[in-house]
mmCIF file of all heavy atoms in Angstrom:
data_model
loop_
_atom_site.group_PDB
_atom_site.id
_atom_site.type_symbol
_atom_site.label_atom_id
_atom_site.label_comp_id
_atom_site.label_asym_id
_atom_site.label_seq_id
_atom_site.Cartn_x
_atom_site.Cartn_y
_atom_site.Cartn_z
ATOM 1 N N PHE A 36 -10.027 -7.413 -0.031
ATOM 2 C CA PHE A 36 -9.639 -6.121 0.587
ATOM 3 C C PHE A 36 -10.452 -5.965 1.942
ATOM 4 O O PHE A 36 -11.638 -6.157 2.067
ATOM 5 C CB PHE A 36 -9.997 -5.018 -0.339
ATOM 6 C CG PHE A 36 -9.493 -3.631 0.101
ATOM 7 C CD1 PHE A 36 -8.215 -3.274 0.013
ATOM 8 C CD2 PHE A 36 -10.384 -2.817 0.705
ATOM 9 C CE1 PHE A 36 -7.765 -2.027 0.499
ATOM 10 C CE2 PHE A 36 -10.030 -1.549 1.071
ATOM 11 C CZ PHE A 36 -8.660 -1.154 1.023
ATOM 12 N N THR A 37 -9.619 -5.558 2.929
ATOM 13 C CA THR A 37 -10.209 -5.301 4.238
ATOM 14 C C THR A 37 -9.715 -4.013 4.823
ATOM 15 O O THR A 37 -8.610 -3.359 4.253
ATOM 16 C CB THR A 37 -9.991 -6.412 5.271
ATOM 17 O OG1 THR A 37 -8.481 -6.481 5.538
ATOM 18 C CG2 THR A 37 -10.409 -7.780 4.764
ATOM 19 N N ALA A 38 -10.125 -3.532 5.925
ATOM 20 C CA ALA A 38 -9.559 -2.333 6.591
ATOM 21 C C ALA A 38 -8.097 -2.564 6.925
ATOM 22 O O ALA A 38 -7.243 -1.605 7.052
ATOM 23 C CB ALA A 38 -10.323 -2.026 7.851
ATOM 24 N N ALA A 39 -7.720 -3.801 7.179
ATOM 25 C CA ALA A 39 -6.295 -4.054 7.423
ATOM 26 C C ALA A 39 -5.383 -3.766 6.301
ATOM 27 O O ALA A 39 -4.228 -3.225 6.481
ATOM 28 C CB ALA A 39 -6.146 -5.612 7.758
ATOM 29 N N ASP A 40 -5.884 -3.909 5.049
ATOM 30 C CA ASP A 40 -5.107 -3.540 3.896
ATOM 31 C C ASP A 40 -4.990 -2.018 3.758
ATOM 32 O O ASP A 40 -3.912 -1.478 3.440
ATOM 33 C CB ASP A 40 -5.769 -4.094 2.600
ATOM 34 C CG ASP A 40 -5.656 -5.653 2.634
ATOM 35 O OD1 ASP A 40 -4.594 -6.175 2.603
ATOM 36 O OD2 ASP A 40 -6.763 -6.283 2.522
ATOM 37 N N LEU A 41 -6.117 -1.354 4.101
ATOM 38 C CA LEU A 41 -6.108 0.088 4.039
ATOM 39 C C LEU A 41 -4.974 0.588 5.052
ATOM 40 O O LEU A 41 -4.184 1.478 4.713
ATOM 41 C CB LEU A 41 -7.507 0.608 4.423
ATOM 42 C CG LEU A 41 -7.590 2.135 4.546
ATOM 43 C CD1 LEU A 41 -7.420 2.805 3.224
ATOM 44 C CD2 LEU A 41 -8.959 2.447 5.030
ATOM 45 N N PHE A 42 -4.993 0.066 6.208
ATOM 46 C CA PHE A 42 -4.124 0.408 7.253
ATOM 47 C C PHE A 42 -2.607 0.075 6.882
ATOM 48 O O PHE A 42 -1.741 0.970 6.995
ATOM 49 C CB PHE A 42 -4.544 -0.204 8.556
ATOM 50 C CG PHE A 42 -3.640 0.251 9.767
ATOM 51 C CD1 PHE A 42 -3.809 1.485 10.384
ATOM 52 C CD2 PHE A 42 -2.754 -0.570 10.268
ATOM 53 C CE1 PHE A 42 -3.058 1.800 11.422
ATOM 54 C CE2 PHE A 42 -1.909 -0.272 11.414
ATOM 55 C CZ PHE A 42 -2.040 0.949 11.944
ATOM 56 N N VAL A 43 -2.448 -1.121 6.643
ATOM 57 C CA VAL A 43 -1.023 -1.664 6.296
ATOM 58 C C VAL A 43 -0.412 -1.053 5.099
ATOM 59 O O VAL A 43 0.693 -0.626 5.050
ATOM 60 C CB VAL A 43 -1.032 -3.233 6.208
ATOM 61 C CG1 VAL A 43 0.401 -3.651 5.799
ATOM 62 C CG2 VAL A 43 -1.391 -3.721 7.596
ATOM 63 N N SER A 44 -1.274 -0.839 4.023
ATOM 64 C CA SER A 44 -0.647 -0.314 2.797
ATOM 65 C C SER A 44 -0.262 1.189 2.950
ATOM 66 O O SER A 44 0.555 1.691 2.188
ATOM 67 C CB SER A 44 -1.673 -0.599 1.604
ATOM 68 O OG SER A 44 -2.853 0.143 1.724
ATOM 69 N N SER A 45 -0.980 1.922 3.823
ATOM 70 C CA SER A 45 -0.792 3.317 3.914
ATOM 71 C C SER A 45 0.632 3.623 4.372
ATOM 72 O O SER A 45 1.215 4.618 3.883
ATOM 73 C CB SER A 45 -1.824 4.040 4.864
ATOM 74 O OG SER A 45 -1.608 3.565 6.157
ATOM 75 N N PHE A 46 1.244 2.860 5.215
ATOM 76 C CA PHE A 46 2.563 3.118 5.737
ATOM 77 C C PHE A 46 3.619 3.016 4.692
ATOM 78 O O PHE A 46 4.431 3.971 4.427
ATOM 79 C CB PHE A 46 2.826 2.250 6.881
ATOM 80 C CG PHE A 46 2.062 2.591 8.129
ATOM 81 C CD1 PHE A 46 0.901 1.901 8.475
ATOM 82 C CD2 PHE A 46 2.379 3.801 8.827
ATOM 83 C CE1 PHE A 46 0.095 2.324 9.584
ATOM 84 C CE2 PHE A 46 1.624 4.152 9.938
ATOM 85 C CZ PHE A 46 0.457 3.485 10.294
ATOM 86 N N PRO A 47 3.785 1.907 3.997
ATOM 87 C CA PRO A 47 4.776 1.823 2.916
ATOM 88 C C PRO A 47 4.448 2.864 1.806
ATOM 89 O O PRO A 47 5.370 3.370 1.215
ATOM 90 C CB PRO A 47 4.778 0.426 2.485
ATOM 91 C CG PRO A 47 3.606 -0.251 2.958
ATOM 92 C CD PRO A 47 3.088 0.553 4.143
ATOM 93 N N ASN A 48 3.196 3.016 1.515
ATOM 94 C CA ASN A 48 2.819 3.908 0.397
ATOM 95 C C ASN A 48 3.465 5.411 0.720
ATOM 96 O O ASN A 48 4.152 5.854 -0.089
ATOM 97 C CB ASN A 48 1.305 4.012 0.205
ATOM 98 C CG ASN A 48 0.852 4.964 -0.864
ATOM 99 O OD1 ASN A 48 1.476 4.867 -1.970
ATOM 100 N ND2 ASN A 48 -0.062 5.770 -0.635
ATOM 101 N N PHE A 49 3.099 5.887 1.904
ATOM 102 C CA PHE A 49 3.506 7.267 2.176
ATOM 103 C C PHE A 49 5.084 7.233 2.421
ATOM 104 O O PHE A 49 5.730 8.186 2.032
ATOM 105 C CB PHE A 49 2.695 7.851 3.376
ATOM 106 C CG PHE A 49 1.394 8.376 2.895
ATOM 107 C CD1 PHE A 49 0.277 7.582 3.056
ATOM 108 C CD2 PHE A 49 1.244 9.589 2.343
ATOM 109 C CE1 PHE A 49 -0.980 8.011 2.634
ATOM 110 C CE2 PHE A 49 0.038 10.069 1.952
ATOM 111 C CZ PHE A 49 -1.061 9.387 2.058
ATOM 112 N N GLY A 50 5.655 6.180 2.998
ATOM 113 C CA GLY A 50 6.973 6.137 3.235
ATOM 114 C C GLY A 50 7.749 6.142 1.918
ATOM 115 O O GLY A 50 8.822 6.818 1.932
ATOM 116 N N MET A 51 7.287 5.382 1.024
ATOM 117 C CA MET A 51 8.020 5.450 -0.316
ATOM 118 C C MET A 51 7.780 6.676 -1.017
ATOM 119 O O MET A 51 8.789 7.129 -1.683
ATOM 120 C CB MET A 51 7.570 4.211 -1.067
ATOM 121 C CG MET A 51 7.978 2.783 -0.567
ATOM 122 S SD MET A 51 7.599 1.419 -1.614
ATOM 123 C CE MET A 51 5.804 1.521 -1.626
ATOM 124 N N MET A 52 6.634 7.275 -0.825
ATOM 125 C CA MET A 52 6.358 8.554 -1.573
ATOM 126 C C MET A 52 7.268 9.653 -1.071
ATOM 127 O O MET A 52 7.665 10.445 -1.861
ATOM 128 C CB MET A 52 4.871 8.910 -1.253
ATOM 129 C CG MET A 52 4.293 9.954 -2.210
ATOM 130 S SD MET A 52 2.559 10.452 -1.793
ATOM 131 C CE MET A 52 1.701 8.824 -1.682
#
Side-chain angles (χ1 to χ4, degrees):
F36 183 80
T37 66
D40 294 299
L41 177 64
F42 183 77
V43 172
S44 67
S45 66
F46 290 101
N48 180 45
F49 281 97
M51 290 186 299
M52 198 182 305

